[in-house]
Amino acid sequence: MTSQDHSRPLAAGGPGLPPPGCPAHGAAEQLISMYGPEFAEDPAAVYARMRAQGPVSAVEIAPGVPATLVTGYTTALEVLRDQKNFPKNARPWQQTIPADSPVLPMMMYRPNCLHTDGDVHSRLRGALNDGLSRIDIGTLRHYIERGAQTLLDEIAPAGEADLLSQYGKLLPILVFDQILKCPPHLSERMTKSFATIFDGVDAKGTEQANEDVFLCALELVALRRERPGPDLVSWLIAHPAELSTDEIVHTILLLVAAGVEPVQNLIANTLRLLLSDDRFADGLAGGSVQIADALAEILWTDPPMANYSPTHPPNPVTLSGGVQIPGGRPVLISLAAANTDPALSAARAAGNRAHLAFSAGPHVCPAQAQAITIASVAIEALLDRLPELELAVPVEQLTWRQGPFHRALTALPVRFPVVQPSVPIDVPTGGSRWNTSQSPSSSTPPAATSRPRQNSSAPGESPRWWSSLVRWWRGQ
């Protein structure tokens, strides 16, 4: 892949650049594109080109939208831990780009803990931590296993499937519908709109999708105010921090955005590795696959969120080693490139789990334990039911969705011997023959919760309810 495939000049005076005539310009700045098909096909090659320039690179994340991408692991940690020089406030930047920019919904200011700093961040993060701490792990596993069994009952008799559209995409949605007690018509609209937002390539579509997710979350809050229950939305509404309706809505959007699209990519990317790499594929039939090892490897090498954790330094910053970060334009962390920094090869080989797949610092993902649980239980349930699973096409023929933020397959076609739907998962709830032990991992531990865990109510949904929810989602 040549440099001409990815670089294009940005004219002087564009968003986030010094004014024309400033010595910082020199020639028109060469930016590396992160939104086209070439980047989606082989991002590792692009990251390698970037590293040749140093730990940071000038990139273009959408037409006319420049940013700084951090590809070095040590530099990434320094940025993520420095709230003073790298604040989350995106509002000044938002005034410099078109309102219909396809990347705006992913990076714009929202009143939730991801996009705020200081005392506001602490208050919003504390409320979210408290809500997440009340999700009983046994109940969560029940939701995952029940949803997986319902989906696999439909898949197993066919002998072939697209594990992305028929399994990986749907299962996190079913689980979060239960956690939030979200009606399926709202979750359908939200998750389909979020898929458009995560792609970050369709200007008209992302603007409409951003409006739609807000309206759906607003309707969900109204429903839970009217009929509160043992669910995360109701807990946020009743929290002593007294979140405003706007704060609750945007916290819900954060939960859905982080809990559905990235988790479905984690499931699909891990299954791709399990089915294509001889280190894992040879152990499928014998039940000796180490699912925890495969998940850990994907979190290092192909994290579902490849480039994110945006910050907005108002002024230039000089980091350790003389690394220069310009001000006035967003800084993104390449979680994928930082994780695969050649300087870390020994740490990865030794099983070190200080990857950045869940970010780091004060804004480290608060729900990484839940994400790992959903992915690992989803994979173990699938392999228990369909142990002779194999890819239907060579792994090289799998294709990836375009966009600057995620690492997401377009499909994951597989084939397997037909299994009748009456065959149950052959292990009791909460048990498995697969090694799925996996602890949340990040270079910074999750923030502590501010009050003790309280369990949610015991699960009681019938298989018929789950089946009807799946049929709704498939338009049946």
Side-chain angles (χ1 to χ4, degrees):
M1 204 171 289
T2 65
S3 60
Q4 284 79 10
D5 289 331
H6 295 284
S7 298
R8 66 187 292 268
L10 190 70
L17 295 180
C22 174
H25 267 302
E29 185 177 31
Q30 293 290 321
L31 301 178
I32 298 177
S33 170
M34 294 178 57
Y35 55 85
E38 295 87 359
F39 178 74
E41 179 183 351
D42 191 4
V46 184
Y47 299 145
R49 279 183 47 224
M50 293 179 180
R51 288 194 194 99
Q53 304 173 2
V56 300
S57 295
V59 298
E60 189 176 41
I61 55 177
V65 183
T68 299
L69 187 71
V70 179
T71 56
Y73 182 88
T74 301
T75 304
L77 279 180
E78 191 171 354
V79 170
L80 290 169
R81 291 168 170 169
D82 185 352
Q83 295 182 85
K84 179 180 178 182
N85 289 311
F86 295 94
K88 286 288 189 175
N89 182 16
R91 283 171 283 195
W93 169 77
Q94 288 173 223
Q95 307 307 312
T96 71
I97 65 171
D100 63 351
S101 173
V103 295
L104 183 59
M106 282 290 288
M107 297 177 62
M108 66 188 295
Y109 167 78
R110 298 180 189 274
N112 60 36
C113 62
L114 179 62
H115 298 280
T116 53
D117 294 299
D119 292 342
V120 175
H121 168 262
S122 297
R123 182 175 65 86
L124 296 174
R125 175 74 178 233
L128 179 56
N129 284 340
D130 287 344
L132 290 171
S133 73
R134 296 177 69 173
I135 300 174
D136 176 70
I137 190 64
T139 301
L140 179 62
R141 286 190 66 97
H142 170 82
Y143 292 155
I144 305 164
E145 291 170 346
R146 174 66 77 189
Q149 182 168 302
T150 302
L151 295 171
L152 291 169
D153 278 345
E154 295 192 353
I155 292 172
E160 60 181 11
D162 174 7
L163 287 184
L164 185 60
S165 65
Q166 294 178 259
Y167 190 73
K169 279 189 174 181
L170 286 176
L171 187 51
I173 295 169
L174 297 177
V175 173
F176 268 82
D177 281 356
Q178 291 298 290
I179 292 173
L180 302 174
K181 288 298 180 284
C182 182
H185 74 280
L186 291 180
S187 70
E188 179 184 31
R189 286 169 55 197
M190 275 198 287
T191 51
K192 287 182 177 179
S193 293
F194 268 122
T196 299
I197 289 171
F198 270 86
D199 285 342
V201 294
D202 178 2
K204 184 177 180 180
T206 52
E207 188 176 21
Q208 177 60 49
N210 191 44
E211 179 180 352
D212 206 36
V213 293
F214 176 83
L215 293 175
C216 289
L218 188 63
E219 184 175 341
L220 177 59
V221 171
L223 287 173
R224 296 280 71 81
R225 285 194 189 280
E226 182 180 343
R227 295 191 296 275
D231 60 82
L232 190 48
V233 179
S234 297
W235 297 334
L236 288 172
I237 292 171
H239 195 273
E242 297 182 341
L243 275 62
S244 69
T245 296
D246 220 28
E247 290 170 337
I248 296 170
V249 164
H250 286 282
T251 297
I252 292 169
L253 295 183
L254 173 60
L255 284 165
V256 176
V260 174
E261 176 91 12
V263 174
Q264 73 186 30
N265 294 336
L266 179 58
I267 293 170
N269 293 353
T270 304
L271 286 171
R272 173 187 58 82
L273 177 66
L274 288 169
L275 297 173
S276 64
D277 191 309
D278 291 344
R279 293 172 300 151
F280 300 103
D282 291 345
L284 285 178
S288 60
V289 169
Q290 303 291 304
I291 293 176
D293 291 343
L295 277 167
E297 183 163 329
I298 286 297
L299 290 171
W300 273 109
T301 62
D302 258 332
M305 288 300 293
N307 305 290
Y308 199 53
S309 302
T311 58
H312 299 270
N315 303 303
V317 182
T318 301
L319 299 176
S320 300
V323 175
Q324 301 291 321
I325 304 286
R329 64 167 56 169
V331 174
L332 296 177
I333 304 299
S334 181
L335 308 171
N339 281 348
T340 53
D341 187 331
L344 293 177
S345 58
R348 288 196 300 274
N352 190 311
R353 298 195 172 180
H355 57 71
L356 300 181
F358 296 107
S359 192
H363 293 276
V364 66
C365 174
Q368 51 188 290
Q370 289 83 357
I372 289 292
T373 299
I374 294 171
S376 60
V377 175
I379 294 169
E380 74 180 54
L382 175 71
L383 297 181
D384 278 330
R385 180 71 73 90
L386 305 173
E388 298 180 63
L389 198 66
E390 63 180 18
L391 286 176
V393 300
V395 67
E396 297 81 10
Q397 293 183 15
L398 297 176
T399 57
W400 301 88
R401 286 162 55 190
Q402 296 181 36
F405 303 116
H406 56 194
R407 183 64 169 158
L409 287 165
T410 60
L412 187 60
V414 297
R415 56 177 174 251
F416 46 86
V418 169
V419 177
Q420 294 305 316
S422 58
V423 177
I425 296 175
D426 59 0
V427 293
T429 298
S432 174
R433 58 196 174 103
W434 308 101
N435 181 347
T436 59
S437 176
Q438 172 82 34
S439 59
S441 50
S442 171
S443 54
T444 302
T449 56
S450 57
R451 64 181 183 184
R453 168 180 298 187
Q454 300 178 42
N455 292 346
S456 62
S457 61
E461 293 78 16
S462 68
R464 182 179 300 175
W465 184 92
W466 283 92
S467 297
S468 65
L469 184 58
V470 173
R471 288 196 299 273
W472 172 284
W473 257 94
R474 290 182 172 158
Q476 299 170 345

